[in-house]
Amino acid sequence: MLSTRNIAALGFMTFAMYLGAGNLIFPPFLGYQAGEHFAAGMTGFLLTGVGLPALALVMVALVRGSDNLTAALPRPIATSFWVMVFIVIGPAFVIPRAITVAYQFSVAPFWGDSGLAVFTALFCALAIVFSLYPGKLVDTLGKWLTPMLLAILAAMALVAFLFPGEAVQQATGPYQNGALAEGLTQGYMTMDALGSIGFGWVIFRAIQSMGISCPKATAKYTLMAAVMYAVAMALVYLALAYIGATSAGLGEDFTNGGDILTAFTIAHFGTFGVLLLGAVMILACLTTAIGVTTAGSEFYSRTFTAVTYRRSVWATMLVAGLVANVGLDQLLAITLPAVVALHPIAISLLLIAPLRKQLNRTAMLAVLATALVFGGIDALHILAAMPAGIEPWFSQYLPLYAYYAGWVVPTLVVLGLSWVGCVWRQTSVGALQACKNNAIN
């Protein structure tokens, strides 16, 4: 049985892995745009931005490990999926972006672009040091780095509530007439559910490192970590969105949440505010980089006999550092569609999880194939690459296409039909067997 202190540290570690730079930048801009419709916009954002990742962790706990999400699939398909996930949320996308964003908000205001290589080397070295000891990850993130990060964020939130800016302005853009729907879309676009299935590897390993081996107990503590993450992240999102909602007096025509946070910290903390925001961004990006590196390395070392955990950590961070300095923009153009396409597959696996006993392998593959095809359509839409001749057809006939979730209805339909078909077949086979037994008797 874990102590209260260890449970709290586990929850903090889980929260820290999710809180990247993007999670800090999205909410202020949402609050700024939502204005008078703040409540509706944030309700939608919290439902998908926090609810989906928390649900993902719950599903991981119920199936007792991320690897069990794909256990019923053919091994080559399952392995290929996980390799794609850990490449995308690791050295090809998340970590390089974390490095460049952390640099932009910490060192760049003083040195410009000339210090990126040195910053990258220091950032990667620090991430490697922490990642090489996964058994101490709860201590590293849960007991040290996360409390520091939360303390700084709490100070910013306190100042925002004690010294609010101008009154909330009128809603702008899509928040004028559809704040709830836009909030749902923006929360979905954080795509943290994809990270959840990867972080499940880390959370289970962390719990085991604290002496818990019972599967039921491991699942219970994973559920507790999910609840703690959801509460902490919701509070952080609300505080950051409030800063954005009351930021009209700090400047005009903000184009992103990073500009809002910069203006806020400078207005209330002066030059020290630049350093404060830089510290927040570095800590947030570092904890995320450690989390995804550890998750990927756990997978590679358990799946491929020729790959050790330590080698995977070093390789992940070295590749991420090179990408951050050499070809981030070009690689993002390639990997962003993969992120968008993988997200529906990850959620589909979570939907399949509680029905695994009823669905056969063919049905599972049909559901995942549907999610992949329509997720690809959403990827083209998000990237504004959909052919002009097809765009009107999808807009008119594909539900939720306008909200970049056109995969949802087709996938649910296929899932429902597959479940009905499999249950009917199992019932029919059972009835036939019963008739044969009666005839024999």
Side-chain angles (χ1 to χ4, degrees), residues 409-429:
V409 173
T411 303
L412 289 177
V413 169
V414 173
L415 177 61
L417 292 176
S418 299
W419 180 78
V420 170
C422 289
V423 170
W424 179 83
R425 184 175 182 276
Q426 292 171 4
T427 303
S428 299
V429 170

Side-chain angles (χ1 to χ4, degrees), residues 377 380-381 384-394 401:
I377 293 173
L380 292 175
H381 184 199
M386 182 65 67
I390 306 176
E391 180 89 22
W393 191 92
F394 283 127
Y401 176 76

